[in-house]
Amino acid sequence: MAYERWLYGDPAVILDRKREMERRRIDRSKEGRAQRAREGLAELFGGHMTIDESEQIEALLLVWYEHEARYRPALSGPRISPSCRGYDPGEVHDDGDDRDAKINQIEAEAVAACIDELHYLQRAAISLHMRNKTGPSVWRNKRVASTIEEAHAKYQEAKQALYPKLKKKNLLK
């Protein structure tokens, strides 16, 4: 039985060559292509967020929380006359503040759609953190965490889970 010449060389070089041949064989297979596709998607939508992206997520969550906090259900009768119910004045008298409010509303609704996809404990961690950030820091939730440090860690995990969803919707710059 004839062995190839390279088999009689340095064992480390031989091992490297065998590993390279095995890697090439796997890369050409169906499983290898699927693995490369998964890695590409993980790199595109997953990965680690930078400090700038973390600050952008904080700003988006603040806009979302303020939008959610403004919601009040209509408990009384209608505030307009039935004869004027369908009237729409348009955007003739809108100024910069009105446009900014509309943009914030659209962003908040997109962030709310991303947050709704999270696990309920992650949603609770985000809500708890934002409530403590915007007001007095006295709110606690035993289901989320028992200590402040643990609650912050749960919030960071929820933010990491939210990151690919926001990136997929192009909410991060």
Side-chain angles (χ1 to χ4, degrees), residues 1 4 11 28 32 41-42 58 78 92 95 104-105 112 114 134 142 144 164 168:
M1 176 175 194
E4 294 183 25
R28 286 190 296 260
L41 285 174
E58 290 281 337
V92 176
D95 58 356
N104 285 344
Q105 178 186 359
C114 294
T134 57
K142 294 266 186 194
V144 173
K168 188 170 30 173

Side-chain angles (χ1 to χ4, degrees), residues 90-131:
E91 298 177 3
V92 176
H93 303 290
D94 286 354
D95 58 356
D97 293 337
D98 294 332
R99 289 186 207 104
D100 290 343
K102 185 72 170 170
I103 290 171
N104 285 344
Q105 178 186 359
I106 292 168
E107 275 185 349
E109 289 171 358
V111 172
C114 294
I115 289 176
D116 287 343
E117 296 175 8
L118 295 176
H119 189 266
Y120 74 95
L121 289 176
Q122 292 174 335
R123 291 193 309 255
I126 290 173
S127 179
L128 179 70
H129 181 81
M130 296 314 293
R131 181 180 284 185

Side-chain angles (χ1 to χ4, degrees), residues 6 12 16 19 22 29 32 37 54 61 89-90 93 97 103 115 118 128 141 149 158:
W6 60 270
D16 288 342
R19 286 182 180 161
E22 181 67 20
S29 69
S54 176
L61 287 174
H93 303 290
D97 293 337
I103 290 171
I115 289 176
L118 295 176
L128 179 70
N141 187 340
E149 293 82 15

